[in-house]
Amino acid sequence: MLRFVLLSALALLVLTEDLEPRYLEEGAGERVVGGEVARPNSWPWQISLQYKSGSSFYHTCGGTLIRRGWVMTAAHCVDSQRTWRVVLGEHNLNSNDGTEQILSVSQVYINNGWNSNNVAGGYDIALLRLSSEATLNSAVQLGTLASANYILPNNNPCYVTGWGRTSTGGPLSNSLKQAWLPSVDHQTCSSSGWWGSTVKTTMVCAGGGANSGCNGDSGGPLNCQVNGQYQVHGVTSFVSSSGCNANRKPTVFTRVSAYISWINGIIG
Ligand SMILES: [Ca+2]
């Protein structure tokens, strides 16, 4: 299903090679490249979204804990029928950190505007209702969402987080990574030579410069420093098929501040 989604998106978006977006879930082989291993639990709202195959669960996307019983992720991460679970307080995916909380997903809410054949249309956002409520502690905290309709200025300090490869095609990092990824404003990101009309005003761009890091897992947070705190401003959506370090092709995120009323309408 993920391959179908990816190919469908590519078929619609073969404008130029540079404009083919790529999703970032593990099925597409893309996670954080570059960046550094995060201090354990320094992004305590980061979750690992996992699907069941056989008798085991496998990491596929990131996400953000936004209420004790709710997680925000990307629509394209959950638009196939699967059994999902969420791991909170996770650091190393393959070993016991002593801080993990594993909760099953009781319901998936995908934004009605999402069309898996048109990633550039936007609406790549979904909410997951958890079967029970998280216990909040130093390793598990709620993410602070961006204020409704807030627009980041150009070059705002941000980090993308996710479990990632240490180089393109290289070994997986089992530990959560973070990469420095300053925001790129819409005027710049949608200009010719950058993403052009592929990027909509309901998206946030970050990275794309020589000194920036790389993408995180799909569905995971873009954590931006605003008013002295880290707020979640983006849901990781897609990167250029030319690679996540392609010049003038920043990683593209669903802009959280455009969906605050949609989120509140579902979670109450
Ligand atoms: Ca672990």
Side-chain angles (χ1 to χ4, degrees):
M1 184 58 191
L2 293 174
R3 179 164 297 272
F4 169 76
V5 168
L6 181 63
L7 293 175
S8 301
L10 294 180
L12 275 181
L13 290 164
V14 180
L15 307 172
T16 74
E17 284 188 1
D18 278 341
L19 290 181
E20 298 172 15
R22 276 201 306 199
Y23 297 129
L24 306 170
E25 73 270 38
E26 175 52 14
E30 287 295 327
R31 297 200 201 172
V32 168
V33 177
E36 64 224 3
V37 171
R39 184 170 50 83
N41 310 123
S42 55
W43 306 101
W45 47 86
Q46 169 85 50
I47 66 94
S48 164
L49 175 65
Q50 305 184 352
Y51 66 92
K52 191 174 190 183
S53 179
S55 58
S56 299
F57 281 87
Y58 298 92
H59 174 88
T60 183
C61 276
T64 301
L65 186 68
I66 61 171
R67 292 287 189 278
R68 289 177 61 198
W70 290 94
V71 160
M72 175 177 71
T73 188
H76 80 259
C77 289
V78 289
D79 65 1
S80 59
Q81 292 292 325
R82 295 222 186 230
T83 299
W84 307 103
R85 74 177 190 184
V86 162
V87 183
L88 317 169
E90 180 62 288
H91 181 66
N92 186 317
L93 289 170
N94 287 349
S95 67
N96 181 18
D97 299 284
T99 50
E100 296 92 343
Q101 296 178 39
I102 300 175
L103 299 176
S104 56
V105 172
S106 60
Q107 201 159 353
V108 175
Y109 296 80
I110 294 176
N111 191 287
N112 281 335
W114 169 246
N115 176 356
S116 59
N117 293 318
N118 183 18
V119 59
Y123 305 100
D124 192 6
I125 188 168
L127 296 172
L128 311 178
R129 181 170 211 150
L130 304 178
S131 57
S132 56
E133 296 207 322
T135 300
L136 303 185
N137 54 40
S138 62
V140 176
Q141 292 285 316
L142 306 182
T144 299
L145 299 187
S147 301
N149 304 312
Y150 182 85
I151 302 296
L152 289 166
N154 198 52
N155 212 31
N156 194 96
C158 301
Y159 280 94
V160 67
T161 48
W163 281 270
R165 296 180 190 277
T166 51
S167 60
T168 302
L172 289 175
S173 166
N174 297 320
S175 298
L176 183 67
K177 296 187 75 183
Q178 62 186 35
W180 174 247
L181 213 64
S183 61
V184 176
D185 66 18
H186 180 74
Q187 184 181 345
T188 303
C189 196
S190 62
S191 62
S192 69
W194 291 66
W195 276 106
S197 60
T198 300
V199 160
K200 308 300 189 292
T201 57
T202 55
M203 302 172 185
V204 170
C205 300
N211 294 322
S212 64
C214 199
N215 55 275
D217 297 295
S218 272
L222 179 69
N223 308 283
C224 298
Q225 203 168 22
V226 174
N227 295 331
Q229 66 170 175
Y230 277 105
Q231 303 174 347
V232 178
H233 282 255
V235 175
T236 309
S237 185
F238 63 88
V239 292
S240 167
S241 62
S242 303
C244 53
N245 285 325
N247 192 35
R248 298 186 171 183
K249 291 295 179 293
T251 302
V252 181
F253 301 80
T254 303
R255 177 165 65 82
V256 171
S257 71
Y259 293 93
I260 298 297
S261 62
W262 177 76
I263 292 169
N264 289 336
I266 290 174
I267 69 180

